[in-house]
Amino acid sequence: MNLKPISLRDKELFNEYLSGCPNKTALYNFTSLFIWKDWGGGSSWQVAEGALCVYKRIQERVYNLPPISADENKAAAAVEFLLEQSQKDGRPLLFYEVTEELLAFFRKHWPEKFAAKEHRNGSNYIYRTADLINLSGKAYAAKRNHINSFVREHPQHALLPLTPDLIPQCRDYMREWLDSRDKEKNPTFFSEYAGTMLALDNFSELDCRGACLVSGREMFGFTVGETLNKDTALIHIEKATATVNGAYPLVNQLFLRQFWREYPFVNRCEDLGDPGLRKAKLSYHPCRLETVYHLRFNGE
């Protein structure tokens, strides 16, 4: 197979394929595929049968993103290509990040040939943007209180657009963030750090917008996002000083208010099975979870 690592020069080609698909989860986006390409194992890609095929090595197994093409027949032909390749290599054919729509596609073309298992840790959290901007009602009372606390303590705060002159400060912020984490207990902190630094290092080349929460010369957090589809914004990265009351909810609120209010929905990615992250994401009351599945070919 003529596999290539995902690099920045692939952006235009990836976007060409992605633009014709109903992108609903974070991974159907070039920036996500690029900055998190090394998370859990290396990523690679090729074009097969007119469809974009992305491979991910996770714990010594090769997983495939469902082939990406606006043409269903080309996507189906690519699945057959991947099946043939997996059989030649003597490995199971596994797919990840399979949405409900793609699950229907597999069941239509290969009825009862793929075993599907819901991957709760990968479900994407979808919110109404207006809910996270307004934080109205009893359900968001705690968020409002935390924000008010921050505003009282830092009356000169501002959310500044992420410009090249602020990138070095964001890098310093991330180095301090990594130093404060227990990497032995959770080695994924290294992957999170590496992906975030990759986004910062290539920010001007990506189709993203970002912002930094500052007060005077002190930075309290930063965030990066972009458009996922015509009605949904996607938050790639959100970092804030957890020891400062209100920093996280204020970064979230102001970024959406200043940059993404024209989009009805916002995708804030998955929780990766982390109990603390799951609790935090649920506390913002998603309007739905975008369910994803893992598939394994079990046919003849």
Side-chain angles (χ1 to χ4, degrees):
M1 291 189 292
N2 186 28
L3 300 183
K4 306 173 185 177
I6 298 175
S7 70
L8 195 59
R9 61 178 173 270
D10 302 321
K11 187 180 80 166
E12 185 176 343
L13 184 144
F14 273 52
N15 284 340
E16 181 180 341
Y17 282 96
L18 289 163
S19 64
C21 300
N23 307 324
K24 292 189 174 182
T25 64
L27 270 183
Y28 292 92
N29 169 272
F30 174 76
T31 299
S32 292
L33 290 168
F34 173 62
I35 66 176
W36 308 122
K37 59 189 174 70
D38 295 322
W39 189 297
S43 300
S44 55
W45 69 275
Q46 69 172 331
V47 173
E49 305 296 335
L52 176 64
C53 299
V54 177
Y55 304 76
K56 183 77 172 177
R57 184 170 292 278
I58 304 174
Q59 296 178 346
E60 303 308 315
R61 283 192 164 184
V62 176
Y63 286 80
N64 302 87
L65 204 63
I68 299 169
S69 174
D71 186 325
E72 182 177 321
N73 292 326
K74 290 181 179 179
V79 172
E80 293 289 349
F81 169 83
L82 295 173
L83 175 58
E84 182 181 344
Q85 289 296 318
S86 68
Q87 291 173 339
K88 286 181 179 179
D89 296 341
R91 58 176 173 80
L93 178 59
L94 306 170
F95 289 97
Y96 73 115
E97 202 73 11
V98 179
T99 62
E100 294 279 4
E101 289 84 355
L102 287 168
L103 183 60
F105 159 78
F106 279 97
R107 286 175 170 168
K108 172 185 173 181
H109 289 273
W110 302 274
E112 301 182 5
K113 295 292 186 180
F114 283 92
K117 183 177 181 181
E118 182 178 340
H119 183 49
R120 174 62 181 85
N121 295 349
S123 295
N124 283 205
Y125 288 76
I126 314 298
Y127 305 83
R128 292 183 180 86
T129 306
D131 288 346
L132 302 193
I133 291 174
N134 299 324
L135 298 175
S136 302
K138 187 176 180 180
Y140 292 104
K143 304 296 183 189
R144 296 195 302 272
N145 290 338
H146 292 317
I147 288 173
N148 290 337
S149 175
F150 184 95
V151 171
R152 285 194 301 270
E153 293 294 323
H154 307 280
Q156 303 303 314
H157 73 276
L159 189 77
L160 304 179
L162 181 53
T163 53
D165 59 307
L166 287 171
I167 295 290
Q169 193 172 353
C170 291
R171 291 196 190 101
D172 291 341
Y173 187 96
M174 282 306 299
R175 293 186 188 101
E176 293 177 7
W177 175 89
L178 185 63
D179 287 343
S180 68
R181 294 310 188 264
D182 186 347
K183 279 82 71 177
E184 291 186 6
K185 184 176 181 181
N186 189 350
T188 63
F189 287 134
F190 288 109
S191 297
E192 189 173 352
Y193 170 82
T196 302
M197 294 296 270
L198 192 60
L200 293 172
D201 291 343
N202 296 279
F203 184 75
S204 63
E205 303 298 322
L206 299 171
D207 298 325
C208 297
R209 290 187 276 183
C212 304
L213 180 63
V214 301
S215 183
R217 295 184 177 181
E218 187 171 3
M219 180 178 289
F220 290 93
F222 68 93
T223 181
V224 173
E226 72 176 286
T227 300
L228 179 61
N229 56 50
K230 64 181 181 180
D231 64 4
T232 306
L234 169 62
I235 306 302
H236 290 297
I237 296 164
E238 184 179 86
K239 289 285 176 282
T241 306
T243 55
V244 176
N245 191 18
Y248 259 112
L250 187 57
V251 166
N252 178 11
Q253 182 191 50
L254 294 182
F255 191 45
L256 293 176
R257 178 184 293 167
Q258 293 179 207
F259 293 87
W260 306 106
R261 65 184 311 142
E262 71 271 26
Y263 292 86
F265 301 100
V266 55
N267 182 323
R268 292 178 55 78
C269 300
E270 68 280 86
D271 61 35
L272 302 172
D274 180 273
L277 190 56
R278 180 167 295 184
K279 181 179 179 181
K281 288 183 181 290
L282 289 172
S283 74
Y284 281 96
H285 307 289
C287 61
R288 73 177 189 276
L289 295 182
E290 196 66 53
T291 305
V292 297
Y293 299 85
H294 284 174
L295 300 188
R296 181 189 180 104
F297 183 76
N298 60 3
E300 296 298 327

